[in-house]
Amino acid sequence: MPAAQKWGSMQDYFLISEFAKLRNVNINSLRYYEKLGLLRPAYIDKKTNYRYYLPEQVTVLNKIILCIQLGIPLKEMVNMIDEDGNLQSQKLLEQGKLLAQQRIEEMQNNLNYIEMSLKSIEGNKKFAGKQSVYPRYFHERTVIVTGYIHRQPLIKKRMVSEVAELYKDAQKNDFFPLLPAGQLIDIDPSGEMRYRCFLEILNGKKGHPRLVTLPAGEYSCVQANLTMNTDLPEIIRENWPEHESSAVIVDNVMSEKYSFKTRPSELQRIRLTENRARTL
């Protein structure tokens, strides 16, 4: 380490405790940055082992803190130090810019989800406590779906496993999936039902094989508290006995309070014309 006299008087230096306070970091953190080779003290007193820092080194500390805030591993920052001991600032900032943009996109998606959820809660209040079938308008929705699983209603464990795979697929394709999930039941004119799981997507891109568009329009709806013993086909037959091509979306009802004991859901049925059937 260079001698203090070569850099001016000791008044030009910060003690490690003083330097740490400049950005409200822990002294042990500074020692860790030193160990990594990212921020070595400008001077170490050989007799006392005290560490001293120059004002100019705050710039390096700022970059370290930026890396931490952006989630850049400090070991990656070490790799941006060249053979002469210089930090490649432009490369670091370019990577930081990319990560910051990704964070902004994530935060915007989260904000959109919160706003949509609050809007859904307000909308559900209008239909709270409905005991019979009622009409309800829905805007177009984009969902990512599983393949047809089997011809019986999904048991909870299987559904959770299928949804977990859907969630992974959505993240892999940079979609923003919404939880909780639901079921999409396709009904043919004979009354036969086929089941799929779905997750609604905020930013779905057309062309993905698992994306399905739920058409805008007026749906015929009924509420139900689903349990392990709920007979979904029976609920559907009781409320819509007519045989015709249709789809039933089994969606969770978001409310002001969430109960761990019940699963309030809304069954949303829409008749399928030839054009609508193509979207599903």
Side-chain angles (χ1 to χ4, degrees):
M1 291 293 172
Q5 293 84 340
K6 293 183 179 180
W7 297 91
S9 70
M10 295 305 297
Q11 293 179 347
D12 296 325
Y13 290 80
F14 289 105
L15 286 168
I16 189 170
S17 58
E18 296 172 329
F19 192 71
K21 288 179 180 178
L22 293 175
R23 288 304 312 271
N24 196 29
V25 299
N26 192 282
I27 290 175
N28 290 332
S29 296
L30 290 179
R31 293 185 184 277
Y32 178 62
Y33 306 153
E34 177 187 352
K35 182 179 179 180
L36 290 176
L38 291 173
L39 184 56
R40 294 187 175 93
Y43 171 67
I44 299 178
D45 190 308
K46 293 181 179 179
K47 294 181 180 180
T48 63
N49 206 35
Y50 287 170
R51 283 156 165 73
Y52 297 88
Y53 295 81
L54 286 167
E56 292 83 354
Q57 291 182 283
V58 173
T59 301
V60 179
L61 181 59
N62 288 338
K63 287 184 170 61
I64 292 173
I65 293 172
L66 177 64
C67 283
I68 294 171
Q69 292 174 338
L70 292 173
I72 300 175
L74 293 182
K75 291 183 179 179
E76 284 191 24
M77 188 176 176
V78 173
N79 296 331
M80 296 182 188
I81 298 176
D82 61 25
E83 296 178 355
D84 298 323
N86 299 315
L87 177 65
Q88 300 178 58
S89 295
Q90 182 175 348
K91 184 178 179 180
L92 176 65
L93 293 172
E94 287 173 348
Q95 184 175 348
K97 179 182 178 181
L98 179 62
L99 287 171
Q101 289 171 335
Q102 292 173 348
R103 290 283 181 87
I104 291 171
E105 183 177 354
E106 289 173 0
M107 292 301 293
Q108 185 60 56
N109 283 333
N110 284 327
L111 180 60
N112 291 340
Y113 169 64
I114 290 170
E115 290 176 343
M116 189 187 77
S117 298
L118 290 172
K119 185 176 180 180
S120 178
I121 290 172
E122 286 300 316
N124 289 335
K125 289 179 181 178
K126 301 175 184 178
F127 304 96
K130 291 280 188 180
Q131 300 296 318
S132 57
V133 176
Y134 55 91
R136 183 172 181 179
Y137 181 85
F138 287 93
H139 293 285
E140 183 178 279
R141 292 168 284 178
T142 301
V143 299
I144 184 170
V145 298
T146 63
Y148 292 106
I149 297 172
H150 49 58
R151 298 180 186 275
Q152 298 296 324
L154 305 179
I155 61 174
K156 190 173 183 181
K157 184 177 178 180
R158 175 69 184 275
M159 182 173 176
V160 170
S161 298
E162 293 289 341
V163 169
E165 291 302 314
L166 270 185
Y167 198 89
K168 292 176 185 177
D169 190 23
Q171 290 183 315
K172 181 180 177 182
N173 287 278
D174 295 325
F175 300 154
F176 190 85
L178 307 179
L179 288 173
Q183 293 185 53
L184 176 58
I185 305 172
D186 299 319
I187 307 174
D188 67 21
S190 70
E192 182 179 326
M193 302 179 192
R194 297 194 297 170
Y195 302 82
R196 292 181 281 179
C197 295
F198 75 83
L199 279 171
E200 189 168 353
I201 300 296
L202 275 183
N203 61 336
K205 301 172 184 176
K206 292 183 178 179
H208 189 277
R210 284 194 174 190
L211 289 186
V212 166
T213 300
L214 303 180
E218 188 174 272
Y219 287 66
S220 176
C221 301
V222 68
Q223 295 185 23
N225 280 318
L226 302 186
T227 69
M228 293 291 289
N229 300 317
T230 299
D231 188 340
L232 270 177
E234 183 61 24
I235 292 176
I236 292 171
R237 285 191 290 266
E238 284 181 357
N239 289 281
W240 302 289
E242 62 274 17
H243 285 178
E244 56 187 346
S245 181
S246 59
V248 174
I249 295 94
V250 184
D251 205 2
N252 290 271
V253 175
M254 299 187 71
S255 58
E256 291 178 282
K257 296 181 180 180
Y258 178 81
S259 172
F260 293 97
K261 298 179 181 179
T262 61
R263 185 184 158 203
S265 299
E266 184 178 61
L267 279 65
Q268 307 157 0
R269 177 183 178 270
I270 190 168
R271 292 185 179 90
L272 293 181
T273 62
E274 185 177 347
N275 289 335
R276 279 179 170 174
R278 290 197 191 102
T279 67
L280 297 176

